[in-house]
Amino acid sequence: MIEVFDEDLHAGVNLALEVGEILYREKTEHQDLMIFENNRFGRVMSLDGAVQTTEHDEFIYHEMFAHVPMLAHGKVERVLIIGGGDGGAACQVLKHKTVKATLVDIDRTVIDLSAKYMPTVSDGAFDDPRLEIIVADGCQFVKDTDQKWDVIIIDSTDPHGPGEVLYSAEFYADCKTCLTDGGVIVTQNGVPFVQGEELRNSYDRLGALFADVSFYMAAIPSYVGGALAFGWATDNKDLRKIETGKLAERFLDADIETGYYSPEIHQAAFVLPYFVQKILTAEKD
Ligand code: SAM
């Protein structure tokens, strides 16, 4: 009898994945963590019943999460990753040879088990001396720290459970105090087709704090419901106006091999479908 992993993250929409072998299943201090084999996606990590990352499609998500803000900025020295305990964002960030990164995740077990069972995702990032790992609530961390970063990547679970605070106006305001002048924040902001309200909430909350707020999109096969939106927030309006040729120069200099990201896709990702634009501009009742 084949066991099936059944994700019911969005009302009326389920994702069913055949479970080959369950490699790990435990309630950590914070979340229900499961890692299992699937014949299409390879090893899959879920937290509280929601797919977090899979071996075979994580490159799309993590390349777009890291390279879009870093290549648009062009002079990144320090990156803060809130969440991201699977190490995928850290892996892509550290491909930029001159940067240092800080990863703040609430759940040490996610980090340890991702390294153990899904090592291709972090690909050695956890052992890179340029990465500082801090186990803490990201919301409290940005409130307490006096450090600043050029890029802040909010690689959180969805706004339920421990991840909920990472979508609050208070958290975004505290992140802004941790950003260097002209720095940029990018967020995991869900699939607009089934998470439109979350998208609009982030848009409004970030819009109250930053001069330039938008989204860019990429389709991640294991995230059900269509293309995923990454939130974009900065006071430097020029970052989104960068020429493709300039991006291509920086991409070449960075000498990074990618499977999804390209300067052309970077630019195109910011072109939002009309239904997403309507979510952002609709009159609020
Ligand atoms: N790609 C995934 C997605 O789109 O949902 C996110 C992946 S990553 C595994 C999510 C991480 O957020 C987890 O490691 C979890 O422990 C972390 N997390 C959740 N709430 C947090 C909080 N308040 N502070 C820091 N990390 C948090």
Side-chain angles (χ1 to χ4, degrees):
M1 159 71 169
I2 292 180
E3 192 175 339
V4 172
F5 169 83
D6 179 17
E7 178 191 275
D8 59 356
L9 185 61
H10 313 298
V13 177
N14 287 54
L15 168 71
L17 294 175
E18 283 184 9
V19 176
E21 183 194 351
I22 296 178
L23 301 163
Y24 184 86
R25 172 131 209 206
E26 282 289 327
K27 255 200 173 313
T28 73
E29 189 190 342
H30 300 281
Q31 301 162 112
D32 179 351
L33 170 57
M34 184 171 163
I35 299 178
F36 61 93
E37 292 276 7
N38 170 267
N39 55 15
R40 172 71 64 182
F41 287 103
R43 291 186 174 183
V44 180
M45 176 193 288
S46 73
L47 287 174
D48 293 338
V51 170
Q52 298 298 304
T53 195
T54 84
E55 280 180 322
H56 293 174
D57 74 352
E58 60 83 17
F59 70 96
I60 303 171
Y61 176 85
H62 293 122
E63 286 180 13
M64 288 302 280
F65 221 171
H67 306 319
V68 169
M70 293 182 76
L71 292 173
H73 183 288
K75 295 188 289 296
V76 175
E77 293 175 5
R78 301 185 78 228
V79 177
L80 172 61
I81 302 166
I82 302 281
D86 52 46
C91 166
Q92 295 298 334
V93 164
L94 293 171
K95 285 183 176 176
H96 297 256
K97 297 175 187 56
T98 56
V99 306
K100 288 193 174 170
T102 307
L103 184 143
V104 180
D105 198 294
I106 201 167
D107 199 330
R108 177 83 229 185
T109 310
V110 174
I111 295 169
D112 294 342
L113 294 179
S114 176
K116 180 176 180 184
Y117 289 112
M118 302 177 77
T120 60
V121 174
S122 53
D123 196 20
F126 292 136
D127 300 319
D128 189 318
R130 294 176 294 150
L131 178 68
E132 179 191 13
I133 297 174
I134 296 168
V135 179
D137 176 351
C139 193
Q140 194 58 46
F141 176 80
V142 292
K143 195 180 290 304
D144 297 343
T145 185
D146 54 8
Q147 298 182 60
K148 289 188 182 286
W149 290 266
D150 305 306
V151 171
I152 300 179
I153 296 176
I154 305 173
D155 187 9
S156 63
T157 45
D158 287 285
H160 319 293
E164 191 167 3
V165 291
L166 304 182
Y167 292 81
S168 67
E170 178 197 5
F171 169 66
Y172 290 148
D174 288 332
C175 284
K176 178 159 188 176
T177 66
C178 302
L179 209 51
T180 53
D181 288 347
V184 54
I185 290 177
V186 287
T187 71
Q188 185 280 96
N189 235 111
V191 174
F193 188 76
V194 286
Q195 295 172 275
E197 192 181 336
E198 291 164 33
L199 189 88
R200 180 60 188 268
N201 287 340
S202 293
Y203 184 63
D204 292 345
R205 291 169 188 164
L206 290 166
L209 295 163
F210 291 94
D212 184 32
V213 176
S214 188
F215 296 89
Y216 59 99
M217 298 181 77
I220 321 292
S222 58
Y223 295 165
V224 72
L228 179 95
F230 296 90
W232 171 274
T234 179
D235 283 335
N236 182 350
K237 291 187 175 182
D238 293 338
L239 294 187
R240 268 203 302 147
K241 294 179 190 145
I242 186 166
E243 294 288 315
T244 307
K246 185 74 189 149
L247 271 181
E249 258 176 56
R250 291 177 178 172
F251 185 45
L252 202 61
D253 288 348
D255 189 21
I256 293 171
E257 193 182 326
T258 56
Y260 185 88
Y261 177 91
S262 72
E264 293 76 15
I265 278 189
H266 175 137
Q267 301 284 40
F270 281 97
V271 179
L272 298 179
Y274 285 136
F275 85 93
V276 175
Q277 293 178 37
K278 281 205 187 101
I279 291 171
L280 302 179
T281 55
E283 281 296 308
K284 283 195 112 171
D285 39 20

